[in-house]
Amino acid sequence: MLPPAPSNGMGTAGLVLGILAAVVFCLWPLAIVLGILGVIFGVIGRRKARRGEATNPGQALAGIICGAVGIALGIGMLVFLIVVPDDSGNGGSSDGDGFSTSLVGEQL
């Protein structure tokens, strides 16, 4: 009788979700969720590989790494969107189309 085939689904799922999280970091809420799921599935896949139930510990580790990178990029994008000032406000003299009209010339 043959032993059961290894269950490599968790490590592979972690890798795919981690890569997706790193690629779609501009959609920061989605990237953070996908990154968290990639890390979770990667950790589960590593545990299965350690117990001998799976044969892809490298894929699971790559899922953890890519998921963490996706989380970091998503949080970085969120911080960038919060920190960068919005130019649509009328903090100075602006005519509303994004061009400043505060240049003062010398009068004769």
Side-chain angles (χ1 to χ4, degrees), residues 40-57:
I40 290 170
F41 286 141
V43 168
I44 293 171
R46 289 285 287 183
R47 286 183 185 157
K48 286 180 120 184
R50 195 175 311 132
R51 289 191 306 253
E53 298 172 9
T55 59
N56 62 344

Side-chain angles (χ1 to χ4, degrees), residues 20-92:
L20 283 174
V23 169
V24 298
F25 73 92
C26 289
L27 304 171
W28 60 268
L30 182 62
I32 293 172
V33 170
L34 289 175
I36 290 170
L37 290 174
V39 169
I40 290 170
F41 286 141
V43 168
I44 293 171
R46 289 285 287 183
R47 286 183 185 157
K48 286 180 120 184
R50 195 175 311 132
R51 289 191 306 253
E53 298 172 9
T55 59
N56 62 344
Q59 281 184 349
L61 179 61
I64 294 169
I65 293 169
C66 290
V69 168
I71 293 169
L73 288 173
I75 291 172
M77 180 58 79
L78 173 64
V79 169
F80 176 76
L81 292 173
I82 291 173
V83 171
V84 173
D86 186 17
D87 287 340
S88 66
N90 290 329

